[in-house]
């Protein structure tokens, strides 16, 4: 009998490097002040993660019992972290031994210890209560990382995330200087993906090391991804105050009906192509999941919120401007809302999605501050998303990560490169057809219902993730970027709540079709909702989620396509 730990779910991302002896290695320039504020916000989140790492390591120590006389390589690959080397699985072994007594009778007993397959080196995990031979105590509790290991993990996260942020900043500055309108982050993603593909062909170990090095940053981005969508929802009361009620109803109708139409087109196209090519499915590479939020993190952010809220009330310009002074408590209120929403029961999440809880908490904090300071809520929401490079707010900090989100797509796509190659026909044909349909159908329905041209342009990329949707509308004049982001998030919320029910009603059973249809119509939020219950569809969701935005951006970067869309809008 063999007892194995599930390595990737047993640790928080900051501790991944502690297992190995060596850790491998609108388009405007991002100003220095925003970079400083981004660094502060990242440091705050990392500090909260650092406080919670030991508790997370203890809480998420799961075990699985299997009957085996030796290690099973295929099973180990299924249990390993998607970015970790398959050569270093962590097995907590319980070996059956035979011992003979003096009477000559054989007795079966268990030997408990950490071991690996014969082809791998032995790992010994020692805790304070373990014996000198490296065996784990009989209670089965994993060793708690030391403070030094925690610091190493946090340093690894800061360095890897900092490189991605710096790359995004450099490319933005270069593209602005060269007057290039193409999304700079998308170019960075293509470059990163190309480098990984070349390294994998020439020096596979180098590509593997690069993936492992950036794993903490990628998991950090995945863990906080919904937060980067929230700012436009928080300031939605300001963004829609000049939009007539009739136009608002039309936009909501386009969001609901457009989501359903895009889901059907993508799903049935994928089914048709699947029947034509008849490619057998193969197991996908497992996708790493960030750990849930701990009590220590919630208390840390609560302390930050209370201290900064009181400080801003007593000293409104202590950090130089009202926006900077309000930044800490507005940011912490947004983070706390996301943490609280993520911890709600699954049934309640259908009514109160974490993103809804997130922006409600931020708006409540803004309302409370406006009431107590007698300034009203509107000025506080203005401080939340200033769009001023020299005077950033909490929303500017969160949206500053959108470029890094796009670049991180390269690592997810590289991880699933074999799956993309095997099912290229289903994936690419479905995504191309679905993206074209989404853009042109939105333009046509907007014209049909008499929606204003600027509003129709603003909601064109409704099925594309926020990071790339904002790049797409930047190609058009007069677009309302706040409305664009809000439309994208609302589309995702509709998909997150209804996608599984609708797919079942449409009798779309194939995991490839379900994954592509979900991500092509409801991007990241729909992907998260479906993959939580259907993990076999997650790889196709991840691929379609990235490729839909990429193809939409490439399509709208062509002047002839933009002119044709404007002609349809009228």
């Amino acid at each position: 009998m063999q007892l194995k730990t599930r390595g990737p779910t047993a640790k928080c991302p900051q501790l991944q490097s502690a297992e190995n002896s060596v850790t491998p290695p609108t388009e405007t320039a991002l100003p220095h002040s925003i970079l400083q504020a981004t660094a502060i916000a990242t440091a705050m989140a990392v500090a909260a993660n650092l406080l919670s790492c030991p508790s997370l390591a203890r809480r998420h120590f799961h075990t699985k019992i299997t009957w085996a006389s030796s290690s099973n390589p295929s099973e180990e690959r299924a249990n390993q972290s998607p970015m970790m080397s398959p050569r270093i699985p962590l097995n907590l072994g319980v070996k059956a031994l035979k011992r003979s007594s003096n009477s000559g009778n054989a007795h079966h007993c268990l030997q408990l210890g950490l071991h690996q397959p014969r082809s791998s080196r032995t790992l010994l995990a020692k805790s304070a209560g373990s014996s000198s031979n490296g065996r784990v105590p009989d209670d089965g509790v994993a060793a708690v990382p030391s403070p030094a290991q925690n610091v190493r993990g946090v340093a690894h996260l800061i360095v890897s995330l900092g490189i991605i942020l710096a790359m995004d900043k450099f490319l933005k500055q270069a593209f602005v200087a060269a007057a290039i309108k193409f999304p700079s982050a998308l170019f960075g993603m293509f470059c990163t993906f190309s480098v990984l593909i070349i390294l994998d062909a020439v020096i596979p170990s180098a590509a593997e090391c690069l993936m492992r090095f950036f794993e903490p940053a990628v998991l950090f981005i995945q863990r906080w991804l919904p937060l980067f969508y929230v700012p436009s929802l928080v300031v939605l009361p300001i963004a829609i105050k000049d939009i007539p009620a009739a136009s608002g109803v039309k936009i909501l109708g386009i969001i609901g009906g457009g989501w359903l139409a895009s889901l059907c087109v993508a799903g049935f196209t994928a089914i048709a192509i699947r029947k034509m090519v008849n490619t057998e499915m193969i197991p996908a590479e497992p996708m790493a999941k960030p750990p849930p939020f701990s009590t220590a993190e919630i208390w840390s952010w609560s302390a930050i919120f209370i201290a900064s809220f009181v400080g801003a009330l007593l000293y409104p310009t202590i950090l130089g401007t009202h926006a900077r002074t309000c930044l800490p408590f507005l940011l912490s209120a947004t983070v706390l809302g996301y943490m609280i929403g993520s911890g709600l029961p699954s049934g309640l999440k259908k009514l109160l999605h974490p993103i809804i809880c997130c922006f409600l908490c931020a708006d409540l904090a803004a309302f409370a501050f406006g009431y107590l300071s007698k300034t009203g809520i509107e000025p506080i929401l203005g401080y939340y998303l200033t769009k001023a490079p020299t005077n950033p707010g909490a929303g500017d900090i969160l949206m500053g990560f959108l470029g890094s989100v796009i670049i991180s797509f390269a690592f997810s796509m590289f991880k699933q490169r074999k799956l993309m190659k095997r099912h290229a026909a289903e994936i690419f044909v479905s995504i191309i057809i679905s993206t074209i349909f989404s853009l042109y159908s939105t333009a046509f329905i907007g014209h049909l219902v008499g929606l204003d041209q600027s509003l129709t342009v603003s909601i064109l990329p409704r099925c594309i993730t926020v990071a790339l949707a904002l790049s797409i509308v930047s190609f058009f004049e007069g677009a309302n970027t706040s409305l664009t982001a809000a439309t994208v998030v609302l589309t995702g919320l509709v998909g997150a709540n209804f996608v599984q029910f609708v797919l079942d009603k449409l009798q779309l059973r194939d995991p490839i079709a379900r994954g592509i249809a979900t991500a092509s119509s409801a991007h990241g939020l729909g992907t998260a909702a479906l993959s939580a219950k259907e993990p076999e569809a997650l790889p196709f969701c991840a691929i379609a989620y990235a490729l839909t935005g990429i193809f939409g951006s490439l399509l709208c970067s062509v002047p002839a396509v933009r002119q044709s869309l404007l002609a349809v809008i009228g």
Side-chain angles (χ1 to χ4, degrees), residues 187-256:
F187 176 78
M189 188 218 68
F190 281 127
C191 290
T192 304
F193 183 72
S194 301
V195 168
L196 288 169
I197 290 294
I198 294 171
L199 285 178
D200 187 56
V202 180
I203 315 174
S205 60
E208 182 182 318
C209 288
L210 200 61
M211 290 288 288
R212 282 192 304 196
F213 177 77
F214 283 104
E215 181 181 17
V218 173
L219 287 177
F220 178 89
I221 291 172
Q222 289 177 2
R223 192 186 197 210
W224 298 103
L225 183 61
L227 274 184
F228 310 143
Y229 299 157
V230 168
S232 296
L233 280 181
V234 175
V235 299
L236 190 60
I238 297 178
I240 65 174
K241 65 179 183 180
D242 295 328
I243 298 177
S247 297
V249 172
K250 294 174 183 177
I251 291 173
L252 291 176
I254 293 174
I255 289 174

Side-chain angles (χ1 to χ4, degrees), residues 238-541:
I238 297 178
I240 65 174
K241 65 179 183 180
D242 295 328
I243 298 177
S247 297
V249 172
K250 294 174 183 177
I251 291 173
L252 291 176
I254 293 174
I255 289 174
W259 166 77
L260 180 59
S262 297
L263 181 81
C264 293
V265 169
F268 286 114
T269 301
I271 289 291
I273 302 299
R274 288 276 291 147
K275 291 180 179 178
M276 292 172 59
V277 299
N278 198 25
T279 305
E280 183 181 356
M281 283 187 61
I282 59 173
E285 291 291 332
M287 304 291 288
K289 291 185 178 180
F293 300 108
S294 68
T295 305
E297 288 177 291
I298 296 176
W299 280 111
S300 300
W301 282 104
S302 299
I304 294 172
F305 170 75
I306 294 172
S308 56
F309 187 90
V310 174
L313 275 177
L314 298 177
Y315 307 100
T317 57
I318 191 173
L319 297 181
T321 65
H322 289 284
R324 290 177 183 171
T325 304
C326 292
L327 189 154
F329 82 80
L330 289 174
L331 177 62
S332 54
T334 308
V335 173
L336 279 172
Y338 178 54
M339 289 180 171
I340 294 170
S342 300
L344 294 175
S346 57
L348 187 56
K349 282 183 182 178
K350 293 181 179 180
L351 298 175
L352 195 62
H353 193 276
I355 284 191
I356 296 179
C357 188
C358 186
F359 89 82
L360 285 178
C361 284
D363 279 343
L364 284 174
F367 175 79
F369 188 86
Y371 176 79
L372 294 175
S373 63
K374 296 181 171 45
T375 58
I377 187 174
E378 191 167 322
I380 309 303
L381 292 180
Y383 300 149
Y384 188 89
L385 189 64
T386 65
K387 298 183 181 180
T390 57
N391 188 31
D396 300 282
I397 301 305
L398 294 174
M399 296 188 75
F401 281 93
L402 291 177
S404 303
V405 172
I406 299 172
I407 294 175
S408 71
F409 286 165
F411 300 99
S412 301
M413 290 172 57
F414 178 77
K415 190 61 188 173
Q416 303 297 343
R417 63 196 181 281
K418 294 179 181 178
L419 204 65
M420 288 174 60
K421 184 177 180 180
R422 184 175 182 85
H423 299 286
E426 303 101 297
I427 293 171
F428 286 97
V429 173
S430 301
I431 288 172
I432 289 172
I433 292 176
S434 174
T435 306
I436 293 175
F437 171 81
S438 173
L439 290 170
Y440 281 92
S441 64
T442 303
F444 176 73
I445 297 301
H447 171 74
L448 195 64
V449 299
L451 191 63
D452 184 77
Q453 181 178 356
S454 63
L455 297 179
T456 305
V457 167
S458 300
I459 65 173
L460 277 179
R462 56 181 172 77
C463 292
I464 295 172
T465 184
V466 172
L468 288 170
L470 295 179
S471 298
I472 289 175
V473 295
S474 68
F475 292 128
F476 301 89
E477 295 182 0
N480 185 335
T481 55
S482 295
L483 178 60
T484 299
T487 300
V488 171
V489 175
L490 289 174
T491 301
L493 289 173
V494 172
N497 286 317
F498 301 107
V499 66
Q500 197 170 31
F501 172 79
V502 173
L503 288 173
D504 291 340
K505 289 296 182 182
L506 295 174
Q507 296 185 353
L508 293 174
R509 311 296 184 191
D510 189 89
I512 295 179
R514 291 173 76 91
I516 292 175
T518 299
S520 297
S521 60
H523 46 82
L525 297 181
T527 293
L530 183 69
S531 60
K533 298 180 180 179
E534 302 179 22
E536 67 277 7
L538 175 58
F540 304 100
C541 284

